[in-house]
Amino acid sequence: MKALIFAAGLGTRLRPLTDTLPKALVPVCGEPLLYHVIQKLKAAGYTQLTVNVHHFPEQIRAYIASRNWGIPIAISDESEALLETGGGILHARDLILPTEEPFLVHNVDIISNLDLHWVRQQTRPDALATLVVSERKTRRNLLFGDDMRLMGWMDNETGKVRSPYPDLDLTSCHKYAFSGIHNLSPRIFPHFEEWGFTGRFPIMDFYLKTCHREPIYGILAEDLQLVDVGKFDQLEQAQQQCAALLGR
């Protein structure tokens, strides 16, 4: 099984740490964020990993090379241009393919108690993408129908809605927060070109443009405990939460 770790981001919210360090190597509970994600994926049975890099890429390369991980870890190099999430997936295509199974995409700054075996079990055979969601408080929610098919996106502060359904009834939608973890069918790659997505683009733009035509589902992780290690002034709180999640 294969997985892609998003580690290319600039980590601007973690400055000044990320002025000299990539976000993936910011330490939490004595180890870099990247370490925790790799270990979680290995424990869940993933046998081939890809890590995308852009900000201080040589540091991430050196860190991966410095340890014996027991599984192959490839580098998807975005040094020349940061391609965002959708472009990052597309750029890593040749490292992910060939595969007949869905591949997991996991943000490097997410530490959680999510059972990745459960994610695979909940992934429907027809799904082009399966997004792990929860009921945590967030500014932006994804909108789902009763069958948990993606219908759109809403900014809770401004009321802005993005959806390919012009007459979408917001009162009938289920509103959940995206976790930054999703399971993708390898069938997604030709669909990028079909819908005109190339170069740099957010994967959510693809999801929101195509969800009325392509089977994109959410799965609700009801007991999800998740730490988004995002802001410098929240790092101490994140350390405490991560220690509890990691059993330390």
Side-chain angles (χ1 to χ4, degrees):
M1 296 187 298
K2 299 183 179 182
L4 170 63
I5 302 173
F6 281 146
L10 300 176
T12 54
R13 296 183 300 162
L14 284 171
R15 286 176 173 165
L17 282 177
T18 49
D19 287 338
T20 57
L21 192 71
K23 178 171 60 176
L25 298 187
V26 169
V28 172
C29 293
E31 295 284 0
L33 285 167
L34 181 59
Y35 171 89
H36 296 301
V37 177
I38 290 175
Q39 294 302 326
K40 184 176 184 65
L41 292 169
K42 281 183 58 181
Y46 288 88
T47 55
Q48 295 185 50
L49 306 182
T50 297
V51 179
N52 75 342
V53 298
H54 172 79
H55 187 54
F56 296 119
E58 70 286 349
Q59 292 188 35
I60 298 178
R61 287 180 181 274
Y63 174 72
I64 290 174
S66 71
R67 298 202 179 195
N68 179 10
W69 299 100
I71 58 172
I73 302 178
I75 297 292
S76 181
D77 194 335
E78 298 178 27
S79 298
E80 294 186 2
L82 188 61
L83 298 173
E84 297 197 41
T85 50
I89 295 169
L90 181 57
H91 188 69
R93 172 177 51 193
D94 291 345
L95 298 172
I96 295 170
L97 298 178
T99 182
E100 296 182 359
E101 297 178 308
F103 62 95
L104 191 78
V105 177
H106 197 300
N107 288 356
V108 77
D109 55 1
I110 297 296
I111 293 179
S112 76
N113 67 342
L114 182 66
D115 182 347
L116 298 180
H117 296 284
W118 173 83
V119 174
R120 293 197 296 270
Q121 291 169 354
Q122 297 299 311
T123 298
R124 307 184 197 194
D126 68 320
L128 191 67
T130 302
L131 286 57
V132 178
V133 298
S134 68
E135 292 186 289
R136 63 189 172 92
K137 185 178 180 180
T138 182
R139 174 176 172 173
R140 300 174 183 88
N141 280 124
L142 295 179
L143 308 174
F144 296 91
D146 288 338
D147 62 351
M148 286 300 290
R149 182 155 175 169
L150 182 65
M151 306 290 287
W153 167 99
M154 180 176 183
D155 187 313
N156 295 311
E157 290 187 8
T158 66
K160 179 181 178 181
V161 174
R162 294 175 59 193
S163 172
Y165 297 93
D167 300 318
L168 182 65
D169 179 8
L170 296 179
T171 62
S172 68
C173 291
H174 302 275
K175 303 175 179 65
Y176 298 118
F178 180 44
S179 66
I181 302 169
H182 31 155
N183 218 22
L184 278 61
S185 166
R187 294 184 290 104
I188 200 168
F189 290 110
H191 285 291
F192 287 141
E193 182 177 357
E194 177 186 348
W195 286 91
F197 283 87
T198 59
R200 177 176 179 169
F201 63 95
I203 189 61
M204 196 56 64
D205 284 0
F206 172 83
Y207 290 158
L208 294 173
K209 185 175 181 179
T210 65
C211 61
H212 63 311
R213 299 280 184 86
E214 308 296 346
I216 299 170
Y217 298 103
I219 51 173
L220 178 61
E222 294 183 348
D223 299 318
L224 181 65
Q225 299 176 50
L226 179 148
V227 180
D228 181 349
V229 187
K231 296 182 180 179
F232 182 78
D233 59 1
Q234 296 175 347
L235 195 55
E236 180 58 36
Q237 178 185 359
Q239 293 270 11
Q240 297 172 5
Q241 291 177 290
C242 291
L245 286 175
L246 296 168
R248 298 182 180 180

